[in-house]
Amino acid sequence: MSKKVLAVLSEYGYWGIELVGPLEKLEEAGYTVEFITPKGKKAEALPPSYDTTYVDPPLGVCVTTPLAAEKVIAFEASNRLETRMNLSEIIPERPFFSTPDFLRAFEKYYADLKIAQEKLTEEYAAILLVGGSGPIVDMVNNQRVHDLILGFYKKNMPVAGICYGVAPLVFARDFNERRPIIRGKHVTGHCIEYDYHDGTGFLHTDLNMGAPPYVLEYILSDAVGPEGQFHGNFGKETSVIVDYPFITARSLQCSFEFGEQFVNVLDQGLTRYGW
C-alpha cells in the first residue's frame, strides 16, 4: 500500500492544528503527506489558530494552546506549503448542459475523470480534508473536490475530514445517482452548540459573515438519513468517529486523536471507533 496521504486545503484559510495534528501522527507512522489546493494558490493558517489569546465565542475559552500555536507557527515557517498541487489542473471540470456539443464534452469529462481518479488512488493511500472557515468558500461546494473524494470512496479507501472539512462529504455524490455517500454512516462534525453566531472570517477577501451559511449538524444529520447517525458529542472534549471508509472529527480539540485513529485505519485496519 502507498505510504502517501493527500491533504486538501482551502486557499481562504485553514485551522492550523487541524492540519498539523494529524500530519504529525501520520509522519510519525511513516507516511508522507502532500498538499493540494483548489486552484493551486498557497494555503495559509487562519491567524486565530496560532493566537493563544483568541477566545472562541461559543466555548468562551482560549482554544489555541501554547503547544498548538508553537507547532502551527513552526509549520508555517517551514514553507512546506510552497510545494503543492493544483486540483483544477488534475480533476476536470464537469461541463454545463449549455456547453456546445454537450454530450461529447460530457463523455470526455467522464473519460478524463476516470484517468485522474485512477492515478490519484494509485499514488495515495487516503485523503485528508482539513477544516477551518476557508473550506466554506472553496471546498464544500466544489465539484472537483467532490470528484476527488468519490475517487477514493469508490475504491473503498479512507476519506478523513475534520471540522468544516467534513462538510464536502454531504455533497460529494455520484452525478447520476445523487445519493449521499455518507447515507447510513455514523459521522461527527461541528454540533450546533459550537457554531458561531457571528464573525466567520476568511483570508484574502474582505468577506466576514455572521454564522456559517449552513448548520453543519443539520446537513450531516439529513445526509446520513435514518439508517445512520450524527454524533455531536456535545460536552465531551473530543469527538472522533470512524465508520469506514470515513474518519470524521468535530473540531480542533480532536486533531491529535483524529490523527491517531487515521493511522489506525491505515495500519491496523480499524473500521469502527467512537460509536
Side-chain angles (χ1 to χ4, degrees), residues 165-194:
V166 177
L169 302 182
V170 173
F171 305 107
R173 309 180 184 202
D174 180 274
F175 188 67
N176 289 302
E177 296 179 3
R178 307 191 188 187
R179 182 178 186 272
I181 59 175
I182 56 173
R183 176 63 58 87
K185 289 294 186 178
H186 291 251
V187 299
T188 190
H190 245 240
C191 53
I192 192 169
E193 294 88 352
Y194 293 172

Side-chain angles (χ1 to χ4, degrees), residues 12-13 46 133-137 200-209 213:
Y12 290 86
L46 292 156
S133 54
I136 292 171
V137 178
T200 306
F202 310 94
L203 295 178
H204 309 302
T205 175
D206 59 3
L207 174 63
N208 190 300
M209 64 174 67

Side-chain angles (χ1 to χ4, degrees), residues 258-269:
F258 173 62
E260 289 167 358
Q261 300 314 319
F262 197 172
V263 170
N264 285 335
V265 168
L266 289 166
D267 288 353
Q268 306 299 326

Side-chain angles (χ1 to χ4, degrees), residues 231-254:
H231 302 265
N233 286 317
F234 172 60
K236 296 183 179 180
E237 186 175 358
T238 62
S239 180
V240 177
I241 300 290
V242 176
D243 191 353
Y244 194 86
F246 303 109
I247 308 116
T248 54
R250 187 179 63 207
S251 194
L252 65 107
Q253 297 89 349
C254 310

Side-chain angles (χ1 to χ4, degrees), residues 65-97:
T65 66
L67 178 62
E70 179 184 332
K71 288 178 180 292
V72 172
I73 291 169
F75 177 78
E76 288 281 288
S78 72
N79 290 322
R80 286 187 57 182
L81 291 175
E82 294 293 342
T83 302
R84 62 204 176 267
M85 291 179 285
N86 181 345
L87 184 63
S88 70
E89 294 177 349
I90 296 171
I91 297 288
E93 183 177 45
R94 186 175 62 238
F96 286 116
F97 278 58

